């Protein structure tokens, strides 16, 4: 990849990730069936990418690697199920904005789990996300369907944060595509008992949406992201992927007439700014570590 094509691949990957909620809403199936199908199609797509497009050699996994991949797979399954629950209950926009609160959870949990000091700029990040979520909340009433959907989205963000921290603990040992493929196998196995009774009733059109979700929004999007990082800096990637909720909410606006209010737009803008800051801080800290080691 050239830097220009890698940047284009990043934007395509961000668009595909952003369409996750859209395909989830189009598919008239339960969240368990959607997640099972997504993981199954993602395994096929990632296997093809690993066989024909990836030059990275796979690692021989030890018992501790299998344990961490199993935990990551369970967290990924729970993250996807809660996200699609949010989509079904409150729509794509609310679900996406609830999920994008994960940088705030990551800052807090990193301080608790890895005993890292929370810096002033990270406190600002948590504050931005918190204010953004308050603005996004349609109604401060737990009986409200929209508020319930937002809570499902926030739970999805918390689970994604836990997934990221678990992957951080095992990063460097397992190639990204190998880890993603193994995690999706675990997801499919976790959801198979729940999804199996209803698979025969899924319409052909719904399988199309689920297939697109698994192949494009999971397998291909992840592959583009991994391939582009060989050329593009992590700092640039983090800024580009802050566009993910923008793409998702825009498409939902056009397809489903989910018109966001001014208050929701302001809250979403604050959360997206927090995502950009989180990515910039993360890439800056990674750049400092090799220098400190040297």
């Amino acid at each position: 990849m050239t830097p220009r094509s890698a940047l284009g691949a990043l934007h395509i990957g961000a668009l595909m990730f952003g369409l996750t909620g859209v395909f989830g809403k189009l598919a008239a199936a339960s969240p368990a069936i959607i997640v099972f199908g997504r993981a199954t199609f993602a395994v096929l797509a990632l296997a093809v990418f690993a066989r024909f497009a990836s030059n990275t050699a796979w690692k021989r996994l030890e018992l501790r690697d299998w344990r961490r991949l199993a935990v990551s797979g369970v967290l990924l399954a729970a993250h996807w199920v809660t996200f699609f629950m949010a989509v079904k209950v409150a729509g794509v926009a609310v679900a996406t904005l609830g999920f994008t609160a994960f940088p705030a959870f990551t800052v807090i949990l990193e301080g608790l789990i890895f005993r890292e000091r929370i810096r002033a700029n990270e406190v600002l990040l948590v504050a931005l996300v918190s204010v953004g979520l308050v603005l996004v909340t349609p109604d401060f009433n737990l009986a409200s369907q929209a508020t319930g959907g937002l809570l499902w989205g926030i739970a999805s963000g918390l689970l994604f944060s836990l997934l990221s921290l678990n992957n951080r603990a095992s990063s460097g040992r397992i190639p990204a595509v190998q880890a993603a493929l193994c995690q999706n196998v675990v997801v499919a196995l976790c959801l198979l008992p729940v999804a199996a009774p209803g698979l025969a009733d899924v319409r052909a059109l719904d399988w199309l949406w689920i297939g697109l979700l698994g192949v494009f929004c999971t397998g291909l999007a992840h592959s583009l992201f991994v391939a582009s990082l060989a050329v593009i800096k992590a700092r640039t990637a983090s800024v580009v992927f802050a566009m993910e909720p923008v793409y998702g909410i825009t498409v939902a606006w056009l397809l489903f007439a989910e018109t966001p209010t001014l208050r929701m737009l302001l809250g979403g803008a604050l959360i997206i700014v927090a995502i950009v800051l989180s990515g910039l801080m993360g890439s800056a800290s990674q750049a400092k570590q090799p220098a400190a080691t040297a």
Side-chain angles (χ1 to χ4, degrees):
M1 280 190 177
T2 64
R4 178 176 294 180
S5 63
L7 188 61
L10 269 179
H11 277 284
I12 293 172
L15 173 61
M16 290 178 180
F17 280 132
L19 291 177
T20 297
V22 174
F23 286 128
K25 183 161 184 175
L26 286 171
S30 69
I33 291 176
I34 292 173
V35 172
F36 169 76
R38 176 184 188 176
T40 302
F41 282 107
V43 167
L44 297 175
L46 288 167
V48 170
F49 176 80
R51 176 65 179 83
F52 297 105
S54 176
N55 297 321
T56 305
W58 282 30
K59 300 293 183 183
R60 184 184 180 89
L61 301 180
E62 301 176 1
L63 180 59
R64 61 172 179 168
D65 298 322
W66 286 112
R67 281 199 298 260
R68 284 173 177 165
L69 286 173
V71 172
S72 293
V74 172
L75 289 171
L76 181 60
H79 155 62
W80 280 347
V81 168
T82 51
F83 178 75
F84 288 119
M85 284 292 296
V87 170
K88 297 294 185 183
V89 171
V92 177
V94 173
T96 301
L97 291 174
F99 155 68
T100 51
F102 75 86
F105 289 122
T106 303
V107 167
I108 296 170
L109 292 173
E110 272 185 331
L112 294 174
I113 296 174
F114 295 103
R115 299 184 183 278
E116 296 178 351
R117 183 173 60 86
I118 298 178
R119 296 165 294 180
N121 51 4
E122 292 172 332
V123 173
L124 174 62
L125 185 150
V126 174
L128 284 174
V129 171
S130 300
V131 174
L133 287 175
V134 169
L135 292 174
V136 168
T137 304
D139 183 14
F140 293 97
N141 180 6
L142 293 178
S144 167
Q145 192 173 25
T147 302
L150 180 63
L151 291 176
W152 278 114
I154 293 172
S156 174
L158 174 60
L159 289 163
F160 185 79
S161 178
L162 291 170
L163 171 64
S164 301
L165 294 176
N166 188 64
N167 286 340
R168 171 186 165 180
S170 58
S171 64
R173 281 189 48 81
I174 308 173
V177 174
Q178 181 181 3
L181 193 150
C182 293
Q183 289 171 11
N184 277 279
V185 169
V186 174
V187 171
L189 292 175
C190 287
L191 272 297
L192 179 58
V194 183
L199 292 179
D201 299 326
V202 179
R203 302 176 307 168
L205 182 60
D206 293 331
W207 280 122
L208 171 63
W209 303 131
I210 294 171
L212 292 174
L213 181 61
V215 173
F216 289 98
C217 300
T218 310
L220 184 57
H222 183 86
S223 301
L224 288 172
F225 178 68
V226 171
S228 63
L229 284 179
V231 181
I232 296 293
K233 293 180 181 179
R235 180 182 306 176
T236 304
S238 65
V239 175
V240 171
F241 266 79
M243 294 296 294
E244 176 190 340
V246 177
Y247 290 138
I249 292 171
T250 302
V251 174
W253 188 351
L254 296 174
L255 287 182
F256 309 123
E258 292 185 5
T259 306
T261 63
L262 178 59
R263 177 172 163 172
M264 184 181 292
L265 290 174
L266 289 174
L270 287 176
I271 294 173
I272 292 169
V273 168
I275 296 173
V276 174
L277 291 176
S278 175
L280 294 177
M281 288 188 294
S283 59
S285 62
Q286 289 175 0
K288 289 177 182 177
Q289 287 175 0
T293 304

